[in-house]
Amino acid sequence: MSTSLTQKLTATAASPASAGRGRGAGRRTDPGTIALGSRRARPAYVALAPYFLLFAIFSAIPIGFTMFLAFTDWRGIGDWNLVGLTNFGYLLEDPLFWKALSNTLILWVMTTIPCLTLATLVALGLNSAVRFSTVYRVAYLVPNITSLVAMGILFSSIFSSNFGIVNALLNSVGLESVRWLQSEWGIKVAISTLSAWSFVGYNAMIILAGLQSVEKQVYEAAQLDGAGPVRTFFSITVPMLRPIIMFITIMSTIGSLQSFTEAQVMTSSQGGGASSAGGVGNSGLTLVLYFYSVAFQENRYGYGATIAWGVMVVVILFTIINWVATRERSR
Amino acid sequence: MIRTPFSRRTALGFGAATSSLALLAACSTSTAGGGGDGGATGEGTTLWYWPEGFDDTIVEDIRTALPDANFEQIIQGGDFKQKLQTTLQAGSGLPNLTGIKGEDIAHFSEVADFFVDLNTLGAEDHKGDYVAWKWEQATTKDGRQLGIPIDIGPTALFYRFDIFEQHGLPSTPEDLAAAIRDWEALFELGKQLNKADPDTYIIRNLSAVFDIGWRQSGAAFIDEDGTFIGDDEHIRKAWDLSIAAQEAGINAALESNTPDVAAAVAAGKLPVDFGASWHLADLVVDAPDTSGKWHVCEHPGDATNLGGSFLGIPSGSENHEQSFEIILRLLNAQNQAIEYTHSGNFPANTGAFDSPELTGEVEFLGGQVAAEVFARAAEYVRPLYEDSRDGIVNGPYYAELSLVEASGKDPETAWKDAVSEAQRLAEQNGVTVS
């Protein structure tokens, strides 16, 4: 299942002699693959075409153009000058880029850990087959399908300094108010709370699916061996869920590295430019928010594209780390 | 899994391919036609504008006066500059007329070829009808006219006269304006208010003071020769003014456009706010219950300009003469007076200043004739050279000011950090740093 359909098709199309015999020939090389004659494969390509057409227009071509733009000083309209590697030099020395990178990584940790912990608890709860479990499943998934922008506005009210619910709760138990959206850690807490909240339900559903695929007999065997619920959870459930947890971790890593909306909605930039984006001290400035501000607010499309390259390098690095980690585990 | 033979799937595949092509084609035609409504290439004359829109009666007026033009206003939501810019660059699907926001005019001046030089259509003859400094904002260095000004944003001071009265402070617009000719006097009043009620502040945030402060100096961060002047005396003075507000303890330090500001305004804890005439709309939304308790008067020093947009003609569109005729009619004194009552935007057409619409009393402002204050303020606004890169270079000052008010950063360190970061950005963007 690891190789994609296209790879299979190209692999078989490359050896028409064996493929010409039909299924049997193909099966001998790879039992999972059904070989298609080159003529017979054509309809499959046609079936795939819409996706690749859309992918080319909305992804591949823009990605290529972004790569090109990184070498220019384009301001979004009119002519551009090729500036070679100048933008990349700026990027390495840009304190805001590094700030945005560290913010993004901190937010990733602050979002993923509470989110996965909560999601596991929710999934365990849902799995214990209480009444109305469908209602709960829907309820937990609702935050995930609610518009992030709308939720961002709501959360900035919840976390507002003087009149927010969070501060009202703090005050009611005798604690001092916190200026959440005007302090370095406050902004991060607010943003990660929003992202974690909107993804708990989604992750819980996936974990729930994983939990339900664990064979009952395994649990029964554990019970016979005298394992308690805690022991069962750590020795049976967690190891059985490992692939699911890896999947969720990879998905949230990619999601977090691309995080934008939460920070954009919850922090306002007062000067208008990228320097003041992401709130006080740029504490909520994520990588994607940074390149959005540079390109679309400051009209520096060339440099914005360079930052996008930086984001891509980081995403690739993390993908490699994840990939290596998954491979180690599955061996 | 794909199985052979799969004729049905083939058919489905073809179907999907065709429908996706149709979808793409649909996308492209709809943009070309400006929303599938005839648009630039068809018979109608289109105007692109942001969601506020021109009042329906004005649109109707154009339709009656110029029936052949088949005039249509198309509201473009979302990022207006981005949509306009992309369409200009693509060169197709252009509107006949377009709004250009004040903050984007310097950017578009750099690519003036994308717009018709309105002087070639006789704009020069109408210059006298509009506020001079606003007109010049859309004039390029080589004398081309990119747009005709719609509205201006001369700044003034909105204040809760009932609260001022209650604390025995000058409360009529004349008295207060006379009492606060310099900033120190205003800050002193702020201290008195704060002493009477410790939760009351008169400054929203330091950026609000800095905004007006540097504009009052008559120069921005980059001069006409493309040299960085953000470390000069005039910026330093604006900075010191903001810091003085901080040290006087009269700064609420609330981020603009947040529920916090709205709540503070509604609760009377921020009884003073700077802004252009359009800021009245914000106050009405934030604090509807305080209607009738506000007045507006001149703020300390000269008025400055915040905002105000233009109408221009993309050079790739057709029938420029007719488009220009529509612009002049949209922006004539009578229609601009109507627009003031519709959106609160203060007309750039000076002929509208004496109209009944402008000389009417504003209920929210306790029956005050607000236009008098703004019209007078408009006379004091100094022309300001704006470079398209100003917004990039001035960012660090605002960022550092918010650190000063939010986390108590030392103002002197903050100034040094702001200047060095601004210089780095200036160099990066081709501004000469001496």
Side-chain angles (χ1 to χ4, degrees), chain A:
Chain A
M1 290 302 281
S2 59
T3 44
S4 73
L5 181 59
T6 24
Q7 278 171 307
K8 286 176 192 170
L9 286 169
T10 33
T12 44
S15 52
S18 64
R21 300 300 290 162
R23 308 179 187 190
R27 277 235 172 96
R28 229 175 294 140
T29 48
D30 176 3
T33 310
I34 299 151
L36 303 169
S38 57
R39 198 153 46 98
R40 283 175 145 183
R42 226 171 277 152
Y45 283 115
V46 174
L48 288 170
Y51 170 73
F52 283 103
L53 199 68
L54 293 171
F55 177 77
I57 292 170
F58 294 109
S59 292
I61 295 171
I63 289 170
F65 188 54
T66 306
M67 289 184 169
F68 167 73
L69 277 184
F71 297 95
T72 70
D73 64 353
W74 197 43
R75 298 185 51 78
I77 186 167
D79 303 325
W80 50 59
N81 300 307
L82 288 173
V83 293
L85 291 170
T86 323
N87 284 337
F88 292 90
Y90 291 150
L91 188 71
L92 294 177
E93 294 171 358
D94 186 348
L96 271 186
F97 174 73
W98 298 107
K99 174 97 196 176
L101 179 58
S102 83
N103 283 342
T104 309
L105 298 181
I106 292 170
L107 283 172
W108 169 55
V109 174
M110 288 176 68
T111 305
T112 311
I113 293 176
C115 182
L116 288 193
T117 317
L118 272 174
T120 314
L121 292 176
V122 168
L124 286 172
L126 289 175
N127 198 34
S128 344
V130 280
R131 269 201 276 176
F132 311 122
S133 75
T134 314
V135 176
Y136 285 122
R137 282 178 212 183
V138 171
Y140 280 112
L141 201 60
V142 164
N144 191 244
I145 54 167
T146 310
S147 151
L148 255 187
V149 175
M151 293 327 299
I153 294 169
L154 180 66
F155 269 67
S156 39
S157 285
I158 291 175
F159 281 99
S160 82
S161 308
N162 299 335
F163 311 93
I165 299 175
V166 176
N167 275 343
L169 287 176
L170 286 181
N171 292 340
S172 71
V173 293
L175 293 169
E176 293 262 313
S177 291
V178 178
R179 307 198 96 184
W180 292 101
L181 298 174
Q182 277 129 297
S183 65
E184 185 179 352
W185 287 98
I187 291 176
K188 292 199 172 80
V189 169
I191 293 175
S192 52
T193 308
L194 170 56
S195 339
W197 179 79
S198 61
F199 274 93
V200 160
Y202 172 79
N203 287 335
M205 289 311 127
I206 294 173
I207 296 175
L208 179 63
L211 284 175
Q212 292 184 337
S213 67
V214 179
E215 303 264 342
K216 285 256 158 34
Q217 291 96 313
V218 187
Y219 284 116
E220 278 163 17
Q223 231 171 2
L224 285 177
D225 289 343
V230 177
R231 182 71 201 269
T232 315
F233 177 73
F234 285 106
S235 304
I236 310 284
T237 313
V238 171
M240 295 296 264
L241 283 181
R242 183 162 280 156
I244 301 274
I245 292 171
M246 282 317 293
F247 170 77
I248 293 178
T249 313
I250 293 172
M251 293 313 282
S252 15
T253 310
I254 296 172
S256 292
L257 290 174
Q258 296 180 341
S259 125
F260 164 76
T261 318
E262 297 92 334
Q264 210 259 343
V265 177
M266 293 180 77
T267 64
S268 65
S269 72
Q270 302 203 331
S275 303
S276 49
V280 173
N282 309 108
S283 318
L285 185 69
T286 62
L287 282 170
V288 180
L289 179 59
Y290 184 43
F291 96 68
Y292 165 81
S293 316
V294 166
F296 295 94
Q297 290 184 312
E298 295 192 337
N299 298 311
R300 297 156 73 196
Y301 289 77
Y303 187 55
T306 316
I307 301 171
W309 267 70
V311 179
M312 194 179 83
V313 168
V314 173
V315 172
I316 289 175
L317 265 176
F318 271 81
T319 311
I320 292 173
I321 294 171
N322 271 326
W323 183 66
V324 170
T326 333
R327 248 170 43 123
E328 293 293 303
R329 289 275 155 74
S330 59
R331 257 175 203 170

Side-chain angles (χ1 to χ4, degrees), chain B residues 15-190:
Chain B
T18 334
S19 58
S20 70
L21 277 173
L23 183 84
L24 288 172
C27 287
S28 70
T29 41
S30 72
T31 39
D37 41 34
T41 47
E43 60 287 351
T45 307
T46 50
L47 160 71
W48 276 15
Y49 209 63
W50 37 89
E52 189 176 85
F54 277 99
D55 194 72
D56 290 341
T57 56
I58 303 177
V59 174
E60 209 41 58
D61 174 56
I62 303 292
R63 285 171 161 276
T64 356
L66 301 158
D68 298 340
N70 197 7
F71 176 71
E72 192 166 7
Q73 166 170 261
I74 296 172
I75 299 298
Q76 295 285 2
D79 189 341
F80 187 85
K81 182 212 79 188
Q82 194 56 44
K83 288 184 181 174
L84 176 60
Q85 175 164 287
T86 309
T87 315
L88 288 170
Q89 180 77 31
S92 72
L94 287 167
N96 295 79
L97 328 167
T98 182
I100 306 169
K101 292 192 178 180
E103 67 257 32
D104 299 325
I105 194 80
H107 171 58
F108 284 123
S109 298
E110 301 225 314
V111 286
D113 286 343
F114 284 96
F115 294 93
V116 174
D117 174 10
L118 301 179
N119 283 334
T120 60
L121 300 168
E124 200 74 60
D125 303 340
H126 303 276
K127 189 175 173 180
D129 297 343
Y130 298 87
V131 175
W133 51 262
K134 189 67 190 175
W135 182 277
E136 281 158 23
Q137 204 190 345
T139 315
T140 63
K141 281 183 199 164
D142 54 358
R144 293 196 231 183
Q145 192 64 29
L146 297 191
I148 308 291
I150 304 168
D151 62 311
I152 54 176
T155 51
L157 187 87
F158 294 92
Y159 68 99
R160 283 280 298 274
F161 67 85
D162 60 325
I163 292 178
F164 274 61
E165 220 163 53
Q166 191 190 323
H167 295 294
L169 301 172
S171 59
T172 66
E174 296 76 23
D175 290 352
L176 185 61
I180 53 163
R181 277 338 299 140
D182 52 39
W183 288 94
E184 287 72 25
L186 175 68
F187 291 177
E188 202 49 50
L189 276 184

Side-chain angles (χ1 to χ4, degrees), chain B residues 281-338:
Chain B
D282 297 339
L283 294 177
V284 173
V285 171
D286 288 349
D289 295 342
T290 61
S291 176
K293 296 178 180 169
W294 293 82
H295 275 335
V296 64
C297 76
E298 287 90 341
H299 62 61
D302 291 340
T304 63
N305 180 66
L306 290 177
S309 323
F310 300 89
L311 284 182
I313 304 175
S315 49
S317 68
E318 279 165 22
N319 208 349
H320 297 161
E321 287 77 13
Q322 188 182 47
S323 302
F324 188 60
E325 206 179 329
I326 293 175
I327 290 185
L328 290 178
R329 185 146 187 119
L330 278 169
L331 303 182
N332 69 18
Q334 205 212 321
N335 281 335
Q336 281 316 287
I338 296 173

